[in-house]
Amino acid sequence: MSGRGTNVQHHRAAGRPSVAVLSRGLIFETALRLLDERGENGFGMREIARALGVRPSALYNHVRSKEDVLDGIRDLIVARFDLSGFGVLPWDEALAQWARSYMGSFAAHPPTIAMLAVQPVAQGSRTSLMYEAVTAGLMDAGWPADRVFEVIVGLESFIIGSAFDQAAPQDMFDPSDDAGLSAMRRAYDAREQSLEGERPSSRAFERGLRVMLSGLRAELAQLNRDTDAD
Amino acid sequence: MSGRGTNVQHHRAAGRPSVAVLSRGLIFETALRLLDERGENGFGMREIARALGVRPSALYNHVRSKEDVLDGIRDLIVARFDLSGFGVLPWDEALAQWARSYMGSFAAHPPTIAMLAVQPVAQGSRTSLMYEAVTAGLMDAGWPADRVFEVIVGLESFIIGSAFDQAAPQDMFDPSDDAGLSAMRRAYDAREQSLEGERPSSRAFERGLRVMLSGLRAELAQLNRDTDAD
DNA sequence: TACACTAACGAACGGTGTTCATTAAAGAAC
DNA sequence: GTTCTTTAATGAACACCGTTCGTTAGTGTA
């Protein structure tokens, strides 16, 4: 009945508890679980506290703000990104591995995408270390410093957009009852049908990723040719 | 003293005013102006009402909710998208025109990007008509129905990401004081320097756009070849 | 044993979007 | 021209949110 930690039902008196009931990690994991289960609405400090059997104000002994919680959630997700290719595989394969794991990790937690795409990256977070690793990987592979940023941002934009699409295409634009939207209606249905159970937009993602990578390969080759010519 | 509409300072009695002081259009325009001036914070129903010389509850005679206001703002911005190329120019040039105007319209109103990228598109809005036009344009040019959606989503993802980047790169990830981020620091500085007053990331946008379009041209050519072979 | 520190509770605070009763003008019906 | 419905303003709430603060109690150190 008791000791599960997550669901102490009856009253706890004020004052420090004998056994620790909260930690940053526990708060982050609970928050992520709630976000997945209930979506962006119904996810707040009071809900997190309730799920942990605690009063809302208790959270603030471990966490500075809700934004801090969001940062913690992001780090949980970013921890699953695959950086192992950089320095080992060719840069384009490493980048593809990173992009796929990026996409997959966010797609596994749909409601986080919208929230995290908007939020600036916290300093000192695991997330900023991830960016550092990718940046360094590309520069070691010969990409000029003044282009690396744009390469990452461009690719990332595409990834986030795809994750958005994968998470909630029917919500984002559903031509359901709207009059005068025949082309969209047809395109929407045709796509729905041609997917046939395939994870939606993973196909579009693979195609787009290949297009972007081949473009980048061509650009780097061109840059190297220009450099050799000097 | 009176009748200016936008800034009636002193008390107005309850009851319907002799001259109309509010309309949906006026509310949307005011809201967009406030969003541009003060950013996402300091933009709320109370602020909009104050700017219009009106009590907050008065807005709800013209507008269903804050979300409704957001939808109105989106339509204001989307109205500036350039759809003129579809049916006139080759599909790829029409698409490029659309993409550039899309990017430019949002970049002109930075705080809107984050808010609108997240919000689903309202039914019956000018925005959904815009999507209809693009969809029809691509299908008329020979794109198969089951691919159009993914083409648009992929390109749009890239556009929104670029607009994000253009709006607030220094906020999104600033490697300022963080230790152990040498590669990012170098890339960040090199890019900053090489821009030299150029509108940030418009260069990255042009490059990325060209990459995606050439990829799409190749794909459509391949699709046509497959069809001819049958 | 004394004292600082940590971490819970519980009651607030200021802010938000929104609703509702009230009031008064506009416009339609007879 | 009077009456009635509709429209659109005010102003006072409501529920909810993230957050702060005073209080209480257990932990670890001098």
Side-chain angles (χ1 to χ4, degrees):
Chain A
M1 193 66 185
S2 74
R4 286 279 345 284
T6 7
N7 207 358
V8 177
Q9 204 70 321
H10 45 257
H11 196 70
R12 172 175 35 237
R16 189 183 212 194
S18 310
V19 288
V21 290
L22 289 182
S23 71
R24 282 179 70 84
L26 197 55
I27 291 172
F28 296 155
E29 284 161 26
T30 306
L32 177 56
R33 185 168 52 81
L34 284 178
L35 202 51
D36 284 340
E37 285 172 10
R38 311 189 191 179
E40 190 165 352
N41 298 0
F43 159 78
M45 300 305 270
R46 282 172 174 82
E47 273 76 21
I48 300 173
R50 190 142 40 89
L52 287 164
V54 142
R55 293 293 125 93
S57 57
L59 299 174
Y60 288 86
N61 290 318
H62 303 267
V63 144
R64 276 186 302 280
S65 62
K66 190 182 184 183
E67 195 182 310
D68 194 15
V69 177
L70 263 306
D71 289 335
I73 290 178
R74 178 175 355 225
D75 274 7
L76 281 183
I77 294 175
V78 168
R80 289 180 225 131
F81 286 15
D82 187 354
L83 297 168
S84 66
F86 292 103
V88 182
L89 300 175
W91 67 269
D92 55 337
E93 292 177 33
L95 203 57
Q97 228 172 55
W98 171 75
R100 289 199 187 93
S101 65
Y102 191 142
M103 165 74 167
S105 302
F106 269 105
H109 305 282
T112 63
I113 303 167
M115 306 192 72
L116 298 183
V118 167
Q119 202 91 24
V121 173
Q123 288 189 339
S125 61
R126 195 182 305 191
T127 304
S128 64
L129 292 176
M130 180 275 289
Y131 283 113
E132 169 71 11
V134 178
T135 306
L138 290 182
M139 287 173 72
D140 289 347
W143 277 94
D146 64 340
R147 262 297 278 163
V148 170
F149 219 81
E150 292 167 358
V151 168
I152 295 176
V153 167
L155 193 50
E156 195 173 25
S157 306
F158 171 72
I159 295 168
I160 289 173
S162 301
F164 257 119
D165 179 50
Q166 172 147 347
Q170 71 278 28
D171 289 329
M172 205 57 188
F173 21 30
D174 182 357
S176 53
D177 300 328
D178 241 322
L181 263 54
S182 60
M184 257 185 90
R185 165 94 270 159
R186 251 191 306 156
Y188 192 81
D189 290 344
R191 181 215 193 196
E192 199 96 311
Q193 196 192 345
S194 88
L195 284 171
E196 267 191 43
E198 194 182 354
R199 219 157 69 261
S201 97
S202 70
R203 197 184 52 173
F205 175 71
E206 276 302 321
R207 276 198 241 224
L209 180 60
R210 246 169 273 156
V211 167
M212 295 202 86
L213 286 177
S214 73
L216 291 175
R217 269 188 296 266
E219 181 182 344
L220 184 57
Q222 182 64 48
L223 284 171
N224 286 336
R225 243 173 287 134
D226 293 349
T227 308
D228 293 346
D230 288 346
Chain B
M1 186 105 157
S2 74
R4 284 279 348 284
T6 8
N7 207 358
V8 177
Q9 205 69 323
H10 48 255
H11 197 70
R12 174 178 31 241
R16 188 183 215 199
S18 310
V19 288
V21 291
L22 289 182
S23 71
R24 281 179 70 84
L26 198 55
I27 290 172
F28 296 155
E29 284 161 27
T30 306
L32 177 54
R33 186 168 52 81
L34 285 178
L35 202 51
D36 284 340
E37 285 172 9
R38 311 190 190 177
E40 189 165 354
N41 298 359
F43 159 78
M45 300 305 269
R46 281 171 176 83
E47 271 75 14
I48 299 173
R50 190 143 39 89
L52 287 164
V54 143
R55 293 294 123 91
S57 56
L59 300 174
Y60 287 87
N61 290 319
H62 303 266
V63 143
R64 274 186 305 281
S65 62
K66 190 182 184 181
E67 195 181 312
D68 194 15
V69 176
L70 263 306
D71 288 337
I73 290 179
R74 180 179 351 230
D75 273 8
L76 281 183
I77 294 176
V78 167
R80 289 180 225 132
F81 286 15
D82 187 355
L83 298 167
S84 66
F86 292 103
V88 182
L89 300 175
W91 67 270
D92 54 337
E93 292 176 35
L95 203 57
Q97 228 172 55
W98 171 75
R100 290 199 187 93
S101 66
Y102 191 142
M103 167 72 167
S105 302
F106 270 105
H109 305 281
T112 63
I113 302 166
M115 306 192 73
L116 298 183
V118 167
Q119 202 90 25
V121 173
Q123 287 190 339
S125 60
R126 196 182 304 195
T127 304
S128 64
L129 292 176
M130 181 275 290
Y131 283 113
E132 169 70 12
V134 177
T135 306
L138 291 182
M139 286 173 73
D140 289 347
W143 277 94
D146 63 340
R147 262 297 278 163
V148 170
F149 219 82
E150 292 166 357
V151 169
I152 295 176
V153 167
L155 193 51
E156 195 173 23
S157 306
F158 171 73
I159 294 169
I160 289 173
S162 301
F164 257 118
D165 179 50
Q166 172 148 347
Q170 71 278 28
D171 289 328
M172 206 58 187
F173 22 29
D174 183 358
S176 53
D177 300 328
D178 240 324
L181 263 55
S182 59
M184 258 187 87
R185 166 94 268 159
R186 250 191 306 157
Y188 191 80
D189 290 343
R191 181 218 195 195
E192 199 95 313
Q193 195 192 344
S194 89
L195 283 171
E196 266 191 43
E198 195 182 354
R199 219 156 70 260
S201 98
S202 71
R203 199 183 51 174
F205 174 71
E206 276 302 321
R207 276 198 242 225
L209 180 59
R210 245 169 272 157
V211 167
M212 295 202 86
L213 285 177
S214 72
L216 291 175
R217 269 188 295 266
E219 182 181 343
L220 184 58
Q222 181 64 48
L223 284 171
N224 286 336
R225 242 173 287 136
D226 292 351
T227 307
D228 293 347
D230 287 349

